[in-house]
Amino acid sequence: MDLVEEQLRNSRTIAVVGLSDNPERFSHRVAKYLQDQGYRIIPVNPMLEEVLGERCYPELKAVPEPIDMVDIFRRSELVAPVVEQAIEVKAKYIWMQDGVINQEAAAQAEAAGIPVVMDD
């Protein structure tokens, strides 16, 4: 089993960091698809109150429940603080979406025992 399959198989609750309320945005389409497949989506965006019928949180540390996967839709240079919070909240996995590449943040997560999918 590859890491992508492992993450999807072993995750039920996915925090989507940078989730947009615009249905045309990739983050929205991916989150909607995951939601339609039965995953619990937790939107993380400080600019929004609600997305896809779910309460939106300003940051990972504000989410009041365990997170299996952190799915990151942020520019590569903005990923490090998200990864630091993912480590702090003890997320099981991190997935940096297509075009999101931050080797240092990925190494930090992996050093903390959190597998990372990056730019896949």
Side-chain angles (χ1 to χ4, degrees):
M1 171 174 16
D2 72 356
L3 185 54
V4 169
E5 185 179 343
E6 177 187 328
Q7 284 198 20
L8 291 171
R9 182 172 288 167
N10 295 328
S11 296
R12 296 283 18 117
T13 302
I14 302 174
V16 184
V17 178
L19 179 54
S20 172
D21 60 354
N22 179 346
E24 300 300 314
R25 298 296 300 262
F26 189 59
S27 64
H28 191 278
R29 293 196 318 258
V30 168
K32 175 81 170 101
Y33 174 80
L34 290 169
Q35 195 177 50
D36 289 347
Q37 300 307 306
Y39 293 95
R40 166 116 164 78
I41 297 302
I42 301 174
V44 178
N45 184 328
M47 307 303 290
L48 301 172
E49 295 290 321
E50 183 178 295
V51 181
L52 294 169
E54 296 287 344
R55 177 178 174 199
C56 200
Y57 294 90
E59 60 183 354
L60 287 173
K61 292 190 296 187
V63 175
E65 61 188 275
I67 297 168
D68 295 321
M69 181 196 305
V70 175
D71 192 0
I72 304 174
F73 288 90
R74 301 284 291 147
R75 291 194 317 265
S76 298
E77 64 270 19
L78 302 176
V79 166
V82 176
V83 169
E84 289 169 11
Q85 285 193 28
I87 293 167
E88 191 175 325
V89 302
K90 298 179 175 38
K92 295 178 188 170
Y93 300 101
I94 294 174
W95 189 320
M96 299 182 201
Q97 285 297 323
D98 288 347
V100 180
I101 301 168
N102 188 313
Q103 297 292 349
E104 296 81 17
Q108 183 181 6
E110 289 171 349
I114 301 174
V116 176
V117 170
M118 183 167 48
D119 191 34
D120 185 3

